[in-house]
Amino acid sequence: MRIRALAFRIIRQFIKDKRTLALMLLAPLLVLTLMKLVFDGQAVDPRIGTVQIPGPVIEALQSNGADVTPFDNEEQALAQMGDAELDAVFMLNDTLPQIVLEGSNPTKIRNVMAVAQKSLQKLGGNGDPPQLELSYLHGSGDRDIFDYYGSVLVGFFSFFFVFLIAGVSFLRERTTGTLQRLLATPLRRWEVVAGYLLGFGLFTLLQASLIAWYATSVLGIALEGSFFLVLLMNLLLALAALTLGTLLSAYAQNEFQMFQFIPLIIVPQIFFCGLIDLQSMPEWLQTVGKALPLYYGADALRGIMLRGAGWNDIWVDSIVLVGFSVLFAILNVLALRKHRRI
Amino acid sequence: MNLPEHSSVASSYDCVVAVDVSRQFGKKKVLDEISLTVKRGEIFGLLGPSGSGKTTLVRLVTGLDIPDGGSITLLGEPMPKLNVLSRIGYMAQSDALYGELTAQENLEFFSTLYGLRGNSLKKRIQEVAELVKLSDDLKKPVQQYSGGMKRRLSLAVALMHEPEVLVLDEPTVGIDPVLRKSVWNELDNLRRGGVTILVTTHVMDEADKCDRLAMLRDGKVIALGTPEQLKADSHSATMEDAFITYGGGVA
Ligand SMILES: Nc1ncnc2c1ncn2[C@@H]1O[C@H](COP(=O)(O)OP(=O)(O)OP(=O)(O)O)[C@@H](O)[C@H]1O
Ligand SMILES: [Mg+2]
């Protein structure tokens, strides 16, 4: 009853505060869209110059998305590349294909290599027609960088915005004195935390569904596994963010200090959530990553979205996330002791 | 009942009992072994200059803070205690209201925490709004309220669940003389209905309206009694003079 009253009040406040509501629901979509544009922008068709390359190879390159310019001699082509008009030059060294890369942009190197490999593979079979069967472990070879990052970002945005908004609203409850006022009523401390969980939980559910739907259906991030599991993981991540945000707000005096937690708490999680390959990190640093909620959320989301992982593969991640939430919530109830002993 | 004045059973007449209460922030002793008793059904005033520890004492009474020494009982129970909290109405010195919500929504929210609901809740909101003269502004968001209106709404929140004890921290700050008078009339009515009221103030003419008063200065009770007693003991004509005589006025 009291928990419901608290949750109901939070919902009412939310509905009146259109801007915050919009931030929570639309900002993740906006940033995801921007990310998509940025990453897709990087995958621009490689500009390849060819020197005395046979027609079928040029066609193969073009069909793989390259922007091909044929040249008569090597010098011309290399000069063009020197002016950064080309990303690579293909030529024949005797009968062996040779590639000279412009080489200043790692993404472009990758793009060129991908196109070249695909084309040569296609031509490699000396059968007629030149067809080489391509097979992929996951997906059909149309995965781009955004699929990989996107699967993690979907979870990250749930986490980030819920962390901030829940933290700030709990902080304001304290700085405006309403928390004290609440604790002068027979409301129990755990009921305060539960009320927040319920009230915000409804919005995080809404947010998680919206992000998951938008990312997979509108932006077209790969989704091999079940949409429902993506939703579940997003929700669990958001709950961890909610409890962590409200807990940490106890250690901030004002909104500005709440924002100071972003570089301390949020940014490190980005590094550890798999956007950067963890294997290259020292052992102890990897252990640090495993103490952060986003690590588990990202791990599960990548599994579901890119590899079609099912419940059997992600239940450990789920349980760890629930454990984080429970831990943070309990600590929160204890932190409220500062305001009322019982 | 026929009870001797000073026996331990007499505590059933006492609403608040503070014994040797001390509270210290860092090195600063804000309350220094304060002892006082608020009887049931009286208006008890805490009078004192700014920073004398009135709010600190009131927060100890409501269980929002714990004394470093001594003990506080409210309605016979050592504070803080949840079931006692549901029997008191508290109005903090600074308004604790949700600005985005309307006055009505604020009242609804706080009252549901005390278990009010349905039609009786709606009826009670109308009654209380009438008392604090906010009936016409119930649908306004509290952000748009003036200082005095917020003060009255805070009072309304404290009154909603018809508590036995009212703890009011400077309830009339920022309220104009006419409304202030009506607020005090209302407190008087409540007292007649058996409600105990602990109120802090630094307004002298309000002190005159209390049944009994404690004058606080530097964390100590410098005088305690009915307004008449205090005036007589200090040979003063007004509360103001009495306060100055007791050493409260000049810093
Ligand atoms: N949480 C706190 N931490 C440190 N010092 C505090 C705290 N609360 C109160 N004080 C100090 O205790 C003293 C008494 O404060 P209190 O709020 O009780 O005064 P007051 O009598 O209510 O004053 P006013 O009439 O201005 O409301 C002040 O000197 C104040 O600085
Ligand atoms: Mg005060």
Side-chain angles (χ1 to χ4, degrees):
Chain A
M1 183 67 205
R2 288 187 291 245
I3 298 174
R4 233 178 46 209
L6 197 57
F8 185 58
R9 191 214 81 213
I10 291 170
I11 293 169
R12 260 185 170 166
Q13 280 178 300
F14 240 121
I15 291 170
K16 302 216 170 180
D17 189 357
K18 299 267 183 331
R19 222 177 109 165
T20 305
L21 192 61
L23 176 76
M24 190 162 161
L25 295 181
L26 301 181
L29 307 191
L30 178 72
V31 184
L32 272 174
T33 312
L34 275 177
M35 290 270 185
K36 168 144 181 93
L37 294 178
V38 169
F39 282 121
D40 280 0
Q42 285 196 353
V44 283
D45 303 336
R47 296 161 303 176
I48 298 177
T50 54
V51 183
Q52 291 158 18
I53 297 284
V57 179
I58 293 182
E59 272 164 38
L61 284 172
Q62 278 169 335
S63 74
N64 278 302
D67 183 359
V68 181
T69 323
F71 290 88
D72 293 333
N73 63 55
E74 206 178 308
E75 286 71 36
Q76 267 183 336
L78 289 177
Q80 280 265 345
M81 191 161 73
D83 297 338
E85 302 279 300
L86 292 176
D87 299 320
V89 175
F90 276 36
M91 50 198 151
L92 288 175
N93 191 358
D94 293 333
T95 52
L96 289 174
Q98 190 191 354
I99 303 173
V100 182
L101 284 155
E102 199 269 333
S104 66
N105 184 329
T107 317
K108 285 183 177 169
I109 297 179
R110 249 197 329 267
N111 288 344
V112 171
M113 294 311 286
V115 168
Q117 261 154 20
K118 274 190 210 167
S119 312
L120 291 176
Q121 264 174 344
K122 222 176 234 176
L123 295 165
N126 36 15
D128 188 15
Q131 218 168 19
L132 189 83
E133 207 174 325
L134 296 175
S135 62
Y136 297 88
L137 187 53
H138 303 291
S140 48
D142 56 353
R143 284 295 150 67
D144 57 27
I145 248 180
F146 185 65
D147 285 321
Y148 183 76
Y149 286 169
S151 61
V152 172
L153 290 174
V154 162
F156 172 73
F157 286 125
S158 289
F159 194 88
F160 177 67
F161 286 101
V162 171
F163 174 85
L164 258 198
I165 292 173
V168 168
S169 39
F170 203 68
L171 174 88
R172 279 183 32 194
E173 188 99 59
R174 192 157 51 85
T175 51
T176 58
T178 47
L179 180 62
Q180 288 274 332
R181 187 62 190 78
L182 288 184
L183 292 174
T185 73
L187 197 61
R188 291 176 175 84
R189 281 182 288 134
W190 69 264
E191 287 176 322
V192 176
V193 177
Y196 258 74
L197 272 175
L198 186 62
F200 269 93
L202 282 172
F203 283 98
T204 49
L205 184 63
L206 193 65
Q207 188 206 40
S209 322
L210 198 60
I211 295 182
W213 166 79
Y214 188 81
T216 54
S217 300
V218 179
L219 295 183
I221 297 183
L223 174 61
E224 293 272 309
S226 110
F227 179 79
F228 170 75
L229 285 183
V230 173
L231 203 60
L232 176 76
M233 285 322 291
N234 258 9
L235 191 65
L236 292 182
L237 259 179
L239 285 183
L242 170 61
T243 47
L244 181 62
T246 49
L247 174 63
L248 288 181
S249 75
Y251 303 96
Q253 298 302 322
N254 50 46
E255 278 91 345
F256 187 56
Q257 289 192 356
M258 194 66 212
F259 298 144
Q260 290 166 5
F261 284 124
I262 297 176
L264 284 177
I265 305 291
I266 301 292
V267 176
Q269 302 212 52
I270 303 179
F271 295 142
F272 286 108
C273 69
L275 289 183
I276 297 161
D277 196 5
L278 278 177
Q279 252 93 61
S280 59
M281 288 186 199
E283 194 80 13
W284 66 271
L285 215 56
Q286 292 190 32
T287 320
V288 172
K290 288 182 181 154
L292 303 172
L294 204 54
Y295 173 88
Y296 299 92
D299 183 54
L301 279 171
R302 249 196 321 270
I304 302 164
M305 297 177 76
L306 299 179
R307 293 193 296 272
W311 175 245
N312 284 337
D313 306 301
I314 62 154
W315 68 271
V316 178
D317 289 320
S318 310
I319 287 188
V320 174
L321 277 182
V322 170
F324 270 118
S325 301
V326 171
L327 175 73
F328 294 149
I330 290 173
L331 289 176
N332 210 339
V333 175
L334 292 178
L336 283 176
R337 266 181 73 93
K338 205 167 86 182
H339 301 284
R340 192 182 69 195
R341 193 64 70 83
I342 50 158
Chain B
M1 275 197 289
N2 188 11
L3 296 167
E5 267 277 293
H6 48 267
S7 80
S8 61
V9 205
S11 71
S12 65
Y13 282 115
D14 296 333
C15 174
V16 182
V17 181
V19 183
D20 295 335
V21 171
S22 299
R23 183 72 174 102
Q24 185 162 337
F25 293 113
K27 285 214 166 64
K28 188 172 156 61
K29 247 196 166 150
V30 173
L31 296 178
D32 193 5
E33 307 212 332
I34 285 196
S35 297
L36 53 80
T37 303
V38 179
K39 299 201 187 84
R40 288 203 187 194
E42 72 175 351
I43 301 185
F44 189 96
L46 281 174
L47 188 65
S50 188
S52 55
K54 303 183 294 293
T55 299
T56 308
L57 181 57
V58 156
R59 284 168 41 83
L60 293 176
V61 170
T62 51
L64 287 173
D65 198 4
I66 306 287
D68 297 317
S71 71
I72 297 223
T73 38
L74 180 59
L75 294 166
E77 303 266 16
M79 288 306 283
K81 190 115 189 172
L82 280 178
N83 61 3
V84 176
L85 285 177
S86 61
R87 293 159 70 190
I88 67 173
Y90 173 54
M91 175 178 176
Q93 183 167 3
S94 51
D95 300 302
L97 301 162
Y98 297 98
E100 310 89 321
L101 302 184
T102 65
Q104 170 138 11
E105 289 165 342
N106 269 282
L107 289 172
E108 275 170 13
F109 168 61
F110 284 111
S111 312
T112 25
L113 297 183
Y114 292 100
L116 270 68
R117 62 168 113 180
N119 278 335
S120 61
L121 171 62
K122 287 208 182 73
K123 225 178 100 218
R124 183 71 188 146
I125 288 180
Q126 294 308 327
E127 275 172 30
V128 173
E130 192 57 44
L131 281 182
V132 297
K133 311 262 185 312
L134 285 177
S135 305
D136 297 335
D137 299 297
L138 276 179
K139 303 270 184 242
K140 247 196 204 172
V142 171
Q143 274 158 355
Q144 298 172 14
Y145 266 34
S146 71
M149 288 164 86
K150 284 187 197 154
R151 215 65 207 118
R152 281 179 280 149
L153 182 58
S154 296
L155 180 62
V157 169
L159 295 176
M160 277 299 290
H161 61 293
E162 302 178 76
E164 293 163 54
V165 186
L166 274 176
V167 180
L168 310 174
D169 200 350
E170 308 205 6
T172 56
V173 169
I175 298 187
D176 68 69
V178 179
L179 277 169
R180 184 189 303 189
K181 194 164 167 148
S182 83
V183 166
W184 272 92
N185 282 343
E186 186 45 37
L187 295 185
D188 232 25
N189 286 340
L190 287 168
R191 191 232 350 229
R192 244 171 275 140
V195 176
T196 311
I197 301 169
L198 174 62
V199 59
T200 77
T201 181
H202 25 212
V203 184
M204 296 301 161
D205 67 332
E206 289 189 357
D208 260 323
K209 295 191 181 102
C210 299
D211 296 310
R212 288 193 311 136
L213 277 177
M215 281 187 185
L216 238 57
R217 184 170 165 75
D218 294 333
K220 291 197 176 65
V221 178
I222 51 173
L224 199 153
T226 65
E228 289 69 35
Q229 270 172 352
L230 295 183
K231 279 186 264 187
D233 289 354
S234 62
H235 310 289
S236 318
T238 63
M239 264 333 285
E240 200 136 22
D241 291 339
F243 194 53
I244 291 170
T245 311
Y246 281 111
V250 274

